[in-house]
Amino acid sequence: MKVVIAPDSFKGSLAAPRIAHIIAEEWRRTRPADQTVIVPMADGGEGTLEACATAMPEAVRHHLTVIGPDDRPVESSWLQLADPGDGSGATGIIEFAESSGITLLEQPLPFSAHSYGFGQVIRAAVTAGCRHLVLGLGGSGSSDGGHGALTALGARFEDRRGLPVGLGNSALRSIERVDVSAMHRPPRGGRVTVLSDVTNPLLGAAGAVRTFGEQKGITAATAAAAESNLKHYARQVQAALTADPDRPGAGAAGGVGFGLVAWGATITSGARAVGELLDLPAQIERADIVITGEGRYDSQSERGKVADHVRRLADRFDKPALLIAGQITVESTPFALRRSLADLAGSPEAALRSPERWLRQAVSELAQASASLPG
């Protein structure tokens, strides 16, 4: 049989490429005659770049130093896919977490953390000649509405004296004029695709601050100020660029989704777009069994996350889909077979202490059980 292996990462435990390799290795140990094809997946958040690099070894990785979310220099990178030969142009793949993510912060900086470094990487890809950009959002530690990224792209945000404002959420309240005359625009004839599974608007009860602010250090006492700063910023950006703060996804990555849409990007489902980029539908169509997984499969998983997207593709082509997750918190799932590392280990804590051990056991059990599947 041909087995397509397309897991997401197990957050805080194992990266998607490592998981895919372990599954393939253990599956072949139990069923040596089977052919395994690994397609590590991501939804646009942390791990997207590694998943794409693993699946597309011909891609060129460019390294650069940028200004991190707390002003310290950060080593970042982006992937360049060559022109496919039809004259459409090269594609640049960029991951927000690599240049401006929350893991780059030593401590939460709710009012000063920014997205400037992300904009620097985008600018580098545009300067290198990429006509198409794929921008993965997720893992943000800031709530600046994309102000930092737009600043790095050449937009000028001035205060009442005509001087540039600083960076971070607190600087947004000082903006009185936005000058985009020198801003690098999206490549002509190309497209900019933002990958995100977040549908929140920029502002309001479901917005960037109210929904995601706490994990970035915004408290109940400071939320109103952070929201007010973003609201003022949105009005100023709307006066200079076409942007809708109510658009689904505008609140992604602390509002970077809003800034990118203002720049000319389109937001789409991260899992679906990554899958198409990696030719996953064609791989699954030629498969006999499909295996996917994620760290925690819960009630939110069936809203477009990686495991759900892979399973829906398998359903489309009438292929059985198998699930491996660090933890499964719902009673029933629409998978042919499933295994939870936490159940095998006895608890989530035990599974986290030895994730590879329990992953191998889960794969072994699924490989044996797969003999009972139809076809």
Side-chain angles (χ1 to χ4, degrees):
M1 293 193 302
K2 178 178 179 180
V3 183
V4 170
I5 302 165
D8 195 358
S9 62
F10 289 9
K11 298 294 187 296
S13 177
L14 296 172
R18 179 61 180 160
I19 294 168
H21 279 291
I22 290 174
I23 293 174
E25 183 178 286
E26 200 62 39
W27 187 276
R28 289 195 302 268
R29 192 189 310 278
T30 306
R31 299 178 58 100
D34 288 355
Q35 174 194 2
T36 56
V37 177
I38 65 170
V39 188
M41 279 287 290
D43 59 9
E46 188 174 356
T48 296
L49 211 61
E50 285 303 323
C52 291
T54 299
M56 296 180 287
E58 73 282 0
V60 177
R61 193 159 195 156
H62 297 271
H63 297 269
L64 70 163
T65 302
V66 299
I67 298 174
D70 57 1
D71 296 331
R72 293 181 301 159
V74 168
E75 296 301 315
S76 188
S77 65
W78 60 281
L79 285 181
Q80 182 173 359
L81 309 184
D83 188 318
D86 58 6
S88 60
T91 296
I93 304 176
I94 302 168
E95 180 184 310
F96 182 91
E98 270 223 350
S99 58
S100 302
I102 192 170
T103 58
L104 301 174
L105 295 171
E106 292 182 341
Q107 61 183 8
L109 298 173
F111 286 93
S112 61
H114 55 76
S115 60
Y116 189 89
F118 184 54
Q120 287 181 292
V121 184
I122 295 173
R123 184 168 179 167
V126 172
T127 302
C130 289
R131 189 178 297 176
H132 311 296
L133 299 175
V134 178
L135 311 177
L137 297 189
S140 168
S142 59
S143 301
D144 74 346
H147 163 255
L150 293 179
T151 300
L153 288 166
R156 183 178 171 89
F157 296 85
E158 299 175 347
D159 62 17
R160 64 180 60 185
R161 298 169 297 171
L163 299 175
V165 302
L167 294 171
N169 179 279
S170 64
L172 304 182
R173 64 175 177 266
S174 302
I175 299 172
E176 295 297 332
R177 179 175 178 269
V178 181
D179 180 0
V180 296
S181 59
M183 184 175 68
H184 279 63
R185 298 284 183 166
R188 183 170 298 178
R191 61 183 179 274
V192 181
T193 304
V194 175
L195 310 182
S196 176
D197 62 357
V198 169
T199 58
N200 304 70
L202 179 67
L203 305 168
V209 169
R210 302 291 181 181
T211 305
F212 308 112
E214 184 177 356
Q215 66 194 40
K216 302 169 188 182
I218 296 175
T219 66
T222 60
E227 176 85 358
S228 177
N229 294 342
L230 268 181
K231 188 173 184 179
H232 176 75
Y233 162 76
R235 286 197 298 265
Q236 298 298 322
V237 170
Q238 284 180 288
L241 297 164
T242 301
D244 179 9
D246 294 327
R247 190 206 183 288
V256 172
F258 169 76
L260 292 175
V261 169
W263 188 56
T266 300
I267 300 177
T268 190
S269 162
R272 182 176 66 247
V274 171
E276 290 173 357
L277 196 63
L278 303 183
D279 201 29
L280 182 62
Q283 293 284 6
I284 289 179
E285 185 176 13
R286 297 190 291 267
D288 295 294
I289 286 180
V290 181
I291 305 174
T292 188
E294 60 186 43
R296 178 186 172 91
Y297 191 93
D298 56 23
S299 59
Q300 299 297 311
S301 296
E302 294 177 20
R303 298 184 181 181
K305 291 193 175 183
V306 167
D308 180 61
H309 175 68
V310 174
R311 192 267 308 168
R312 289 178 186 274
L313 282 176
D315 285 351
R316 181 197 303 175
F317 298 112
D318 197 26
K319 314 292 183 180
L322 281 52
L323 172 69
I324 301 175
Q327 188 176 7
I328 300 175
T329 62
V330 291
E331 288 189 10
S332 62
T333 59
F335 289 87
L337 296 169
R338 71 182 205 177
R339 287 296 185 276
S340 160
L341 273 58
D343 289 347
L344 294 174
S347 70
E349 295 75 22
L352 282 170
R353 285 195 293 270
S354 304
E356 291 196 12
R357 170 192 173 186
W358 300 111
L359 175 59
R360 289 183 184 279
Q361 181 171 328
V363 177
S364 177
E365 290 187 8
L366 286 178
Q368 294 175 56
S370 67
S372 65
L373 293 175

